[in-house]
C-alpha cells in the first residue's frame, strides 16, 4: 500500500465569526459527543479525530468540520517504522487505570473499523450455501449460517485485527432441531387442543425474554477479537420489562414513552455486553432521545402536510413527496438510532463513534432493494457487502493506549437453543 494516508488533528480552534459556545454545540451535534469527550477536545491539546484516510476522504472530513465552524488540520502519516525494542515505561503517578488503558498520555488515537470483503467473493459462499441447504433439505443451513458469519466477522477489522465467529455448526443444528420440535408441538396444540395451545402461548410470552437473553449471549460468547471472547450478561427481568411491561405502559400512555423505551433498549444491549471481563459502559441521556424523536415527529408531520397539500394541486406530486419523505424518515431513524446507541458506548477508556448519514443510508437500502429485485435476488450478496462496508467505514474507536490489556473471561459453552427458538417463533430484539 503505497498510497499516502492522512490524519485529522484538532487543537480546539474555531473559525472566525463563530463563537466558542456555538462551535461546541456544532461539534457535539456532528459527532454526538458526551460532555467528557467534548471537554477533552477543547482542552487545547492536539487530538487525532480520524486517521488512515486517503486524500479525498481527509478533505471530505475537513469540509464537514469547517462547515460546523471548526478548524482542523490534515497531517500526512508516516509509513510504519521498523519495530524497535520498546523503552521501559516510567510508572505513572496516578491510580491504576481500568483494563484497556496502557498509555502514559491522555491523547487517544482514532482507529476506524474496516470491512475487507467483496461481493464477488461472498457470492461464491452464498450460492453454495443455498444449493447445499436445498439438497440437504435444510440440514446444511446451520453450516451455511456459520460460514456467512465467519466471512463477515473475519473481514471486519479494527486496529489491524479481525473479529472471529467461533460457534460450531453442530451446536446450532441441535438447537434448531429442538426449536423445530417445540414449534411443531406449539402448532399441534393450537390445532387440536386449544386450551393447551393458549397455555403454551402464555408460556411463550413469559419465556420470550429468556430466549432473547440466551440468543444475545450465544452470539456474544461465540464472537472474539484478538482471541478474547465477548459475553452478554443482561438480566431476564430487564428483557421482560422491554418486551412486555414497557410496551403495555407505552400503549396506555399513547406511545409517549417510545423514546424512553428506545433508550432503555440501548442501555440493556450495551451495559449487558462484556469484552473478556470488562463491561461496556453507556451514558445516553433520556432528554437526547426525546429530542431525537421530537425532531423526527416534526419531520413526519411536515411530510404528511406537504404530501396532502401537493396532492390537491397535482395528484402525481403528492405521492412522490410522500415516498421521498418516508425514505428520509427511514434513514433518519435507522442511522440516528444506531448513532445514538454507539456514540454513548465506551469500553474502559475507549470511546466508540458512529457517523452514519441518514440520506446515504436510505439510498443504500433503496438501491440495494431495487437491484436485488431486478436481478431476482442475485444481487443480494453485493447488497450485504455494500451495507457492511458502509457501516464499518462510519464506525471508529478512540483508543486510549492500546487494546492488549483486556483479560479474557473464563471460557463458557453456551447452547444455541435460545437463539434458534428465537428464529423458530420469530422472536428477537432489535435496538436500531
Amino acid at each position: 500500500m503505497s498510497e499516502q494516508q492522512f490524519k485529522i488533528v484538532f487543537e480546539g480552534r474555531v473559525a472566525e465569526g463563530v463563537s466558542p459556545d456555538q462551535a461546541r454545540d456544532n461539534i457535539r451535534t456532528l459527532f454526538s459527543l458526551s460532555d467528557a469527550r467534548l471537554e477533552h477536545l477543547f482542552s487545547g491539546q492536539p487530538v487525532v479525530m480520524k486517521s488512515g484516510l486517503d486524500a479525498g476522504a481527509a478533505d471530505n472530513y475537513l469540509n464537514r468540520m469547517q462547515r460546523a465552524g471548526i478548524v482542523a488540520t490534515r497531517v500526512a502519516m508516516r509509513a510504519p517504522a521498523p519495530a524497535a525494542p520498546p523503552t521501559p515505561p516510567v510508572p505513572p503517578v496516578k491510580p491504576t487505570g481500568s483494563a484497556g488503558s496502557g498509555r502514559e498520555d491522555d491523547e487517544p488515537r482514532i482507529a476506524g473499523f474496516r470491512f475487507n470483503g467483496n461481493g464477488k467473493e461472498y457470492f461464491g459462499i452464498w450460492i453454495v450455501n443455498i444449493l447445499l441447504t436445498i439438497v440437504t433439505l435444510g440440514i446444511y443451513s446451520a453450516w451455511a449460517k456459520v460460514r456467512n458469519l465467519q466471512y463477515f466477522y473475519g473481514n471486519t477489522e479494527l486496529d489491524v485485527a479481525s473479529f472471529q465467529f467461533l460457534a460450531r455448526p453442530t451446536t446450532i443444528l441441535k438447537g434448531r432441531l429442538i426449536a423445530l420440535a417445540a414449534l411443531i408441538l406449539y402448532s399441534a396444540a393450537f390445532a387440536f387442543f386449544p386450551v393447551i395451545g393458549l397455555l403454551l402461548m402464555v408460556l411463550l410470552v413469559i419465556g420470550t425474554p429468556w430466549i432473547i437473553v440466551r440468543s444475545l449471549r450465544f452470539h456474544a460468547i461465540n464472537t472474539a477479537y484478538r482471541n478474547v471472547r465477548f459475553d452478554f450478561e443482561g438480566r431476564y427481568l430487564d428483557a421482560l420489562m422491554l418486551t412486555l411491561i414497557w410496551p403495555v405502559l407505552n400503549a396506555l400512555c399513547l406511545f409517549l414513552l417510545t423514546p424512553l423505551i428506545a433508550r432503555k433498549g440501548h442501555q440493556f444491549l450495551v451495559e449487558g455486553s462484556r469484552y473478556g471481563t470488562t463491561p461496556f459502559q453507556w451514558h445516553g441521556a433520556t432528554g437526547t432521545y426525546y429530542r431525537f424523536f421530537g425532531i423526527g415527529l416534526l419531520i413526519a408531520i411536515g411530510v404528511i402536510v406537504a404530501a396532502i397539500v401537493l396532492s390537491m394541486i397535482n395528484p402525481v406530486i403528492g405521492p412522490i413527496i410522500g415516498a421521498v419523505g418516508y425514505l428520509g424518515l427511514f434513514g433518519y431513524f435507522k442511522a440516528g438510532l444506531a448513532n445514538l446507541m454507539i456514540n454513548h458506548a465506551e469500553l474502559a477508556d475507549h470511546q466508540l463513534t458512529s457517523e452514519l448519514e441518514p440520506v446515504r443510508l436510505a439510498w443504500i437500502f433503496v438501491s440495494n432493494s431495487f437491484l436485488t429485485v431486478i436481478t431476482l435476488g442475485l444481487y443480494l450478496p453485493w447488497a450485504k457487502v455494500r451495507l457492511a462496508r458502509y457501516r464499518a467505514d462510519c464506525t471508529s474507536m478512540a483508543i486510549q493506549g492500546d487494546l492488549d490489556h483486556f483479560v479474557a473471561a473464563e471460557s463458557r459453552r453456551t447452547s444455541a437453543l435460545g437463539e434458534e427458538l428465537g428464529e423458530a417463533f420469530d422472536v428477537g430484539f432489535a435496538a436500531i
Side-chain angles (χ1 to χ4, degrees):
M1 297 284 295
S2 59
E3 183 179 359
Q4 177 67 63
Q5 293 188 325
F6 300 87
K7 60 184 177 181
I8 306 300
V9 179
F10 177 59
E11 298 180 0
R13 295 187 294 132
V14 301
E16 292 184 8
V18 179
S19 68
D21 289 340
Q22 183 62 48
R24 285 171 176 263
D25 290 340
N26 289 344
I27 199 168
R28 185 201 298 273
T29 303
L30 188 61
F31 296 108
S32 300
L33 298 177
S34 64
D35 290 340
R37 286 282 296 145
L38 193 66
E39 289 301 322
H40 176 67
L41 286 179
F42 283 90
S43 64
Q45 300 296 321
V47 176
V48 178
M49 300 291 295
K50 197 85 169 176
S51 61
L53 303 174
D54 59 29
D59 288 341
N60 182 56
Y61 201 94
L62 278 177
N63 289 335
R64 291 179 61 199
M65 298 187 71
Q66 288 168 1
R67 286 196 298 269
I70 300 157
V71 179
T73 307
R74 187 183 80 169
V75 179
M77 298 176 63
R78 300 180 188 176
T87 303
V90 178
V93 186
K94 61 179 180 180
T96 303
S98 57
S101 59
R103 290 178 54 165
E104 301 298 324
D105 57 87
D106 292 329
E107 180 185 336
R109 58 186 176 85
I110 308 299
F113 285 76
R114 294 183 61 185
F115 183 74
N116 301 314
N118 65 75
K120 182 179 179 181
E121 184 178 53
Y122 177 56
F123 177 81
I125 296 173
W126 175 79
I127 195 66
V128 169
N129 283 345
I130 290 179
L131 294 175
L132 290 178
T133 298
I134 294 172
V135 169
T136 60
L137 303 179
I139 293 177
Y140 187 78
S141 63
W143 279 262
K145 180 172 186 174
V146 170
R147 287 188 70 197
N148 284 334
L149 290 175
Q150 285 179 341
Y151 181 81
F152 279 92
Y153 282 42
N155 280 289
T156 302
E157 183 181 287
L158 171 65
D159 202 29
V160 203
S162 298
F163 290 80
Q164 300 167 278
F165 186 71
L166 305 172
R168 292 181 298 179
T170 51
T171 303
I172 295 177
L173 180 61
K174 287 188 291 185
R176 287 189 172 181
L177 292 175
I178 295 173
L180 179 60
L183 180 59
I184 293 173
L185 177 63
Y186 177 78
S187 302
F190 249 109
F192 301 105
F193 307 99
V195 175
I196 296 178
L198 289 174
L199 178 60
L200 289 177
M201 185 174 68
V202 172
L203 292 176
L204 175 62
V205 171
I206 297 174
T208 295
W210 175 83
I211 295 173
I212 290 173
V213 170
R214 294 286 293 182
S215 177
L216 291 170
R217 180 170 295 166
F218 175 79
H219 262 289
I221 209 166
N222 285 292
T223 302
Y225 174 72
R226 296 190 174 185
N227 297 319
V228 177
R229 288 181 183 250
F230 290 81
D231 199 356
F232 184 80
E233 297 181 358
R235 300 185 305 167
Y236 169 86
L237 181 59
D238 293 331
L240 178 65
M241 291 292 295
L242 286 168
T243 57
L244 184 61
I245 307 300
W246 281 116
V248 172
L249 293 176
N250 194 26
L252 293 176
C253 295
L254 303 178
F255 301 99
L256 294 176
L257 299 179
T258 300
L260 177 62
I261 295 173
R263 177 195 174 278
K264 287 186 174 294
H266 289 174
Q267 184 178 16
F268 170 72
L269 285 177
V270 176
E271 291 189 350
S273 300
R274 304 285 186 273
Y275 177 55
T277 56
T278 305
F280 283 82
Q281 299 171 333
W282 196 76
H283 309 290
T286 303
T288 303
Y289 281 75
Y290 271 92
R291 184 164 55 251
F292 172 80
F293 275 87
I295 294 172
L297 179 60
L298 292 175
I299 296 173
I301 293 173
V303 169
I304 293 172
V305 171
I308 293 174
V309 172
L310 290 174
S311 293
M312 297 177 180
I313 300 173
N314 187 319
V316 176
I317 297 178
I320 293 175
I321 294 298
V324 172
Y326 171 80
L327 292 175
L329 281 169
F330 172 83
Y332 175 81
F333 280 101
K334 193 74 175 177
L337 287 174
N339 291 341
L340 278 175
M341 185 176 78
I342 295 173
N343 288 334
H344 292 101
E346 294 180 356
L347 178 63
D349 297 324
H350 314 302
Q351 173 73 49
L352 286 162
T353 301
S354 175
E355 300 174 331
L356 292 171
E357 297 178 356
V359 175
R360 177 72 184 279
L361 188 62
W363 165 248
I364 290 175
F365 271 99
V366 170
S367 55
N368 277 351
S369 300
F370 175 75
L371 291 171
T372 300
V373 169
I374 66 172
T375 60
L376 302 179
L378 293 179
Y379 184 76
L380 186 60
W382 280 270
K384 289 184 175 181
V385 165
R386 184 185 177 197
L387 182 59
R389 180 176 293 116
Y390 177 66
R391 286 185 178 275
D393 289 344
C394 292
T395 309
S396 61
M397 174 180 278
I399 300 175
Q400 193 77 33
D402 57 51
L403 299 174
D404 297 326
H405 298 277
F406 291 96
V407 179
E410 180 181 359
S411 178
R412 292 189 292 171
R413 291 174 57 190
T414 300
S415 169
L417 175 59
E419 180 191 11
E420 301 309 331
L421 279 171
E423 291 189 357
F425 291 100
D426 195 23
V427 173
F429 185 75
I432 56 177

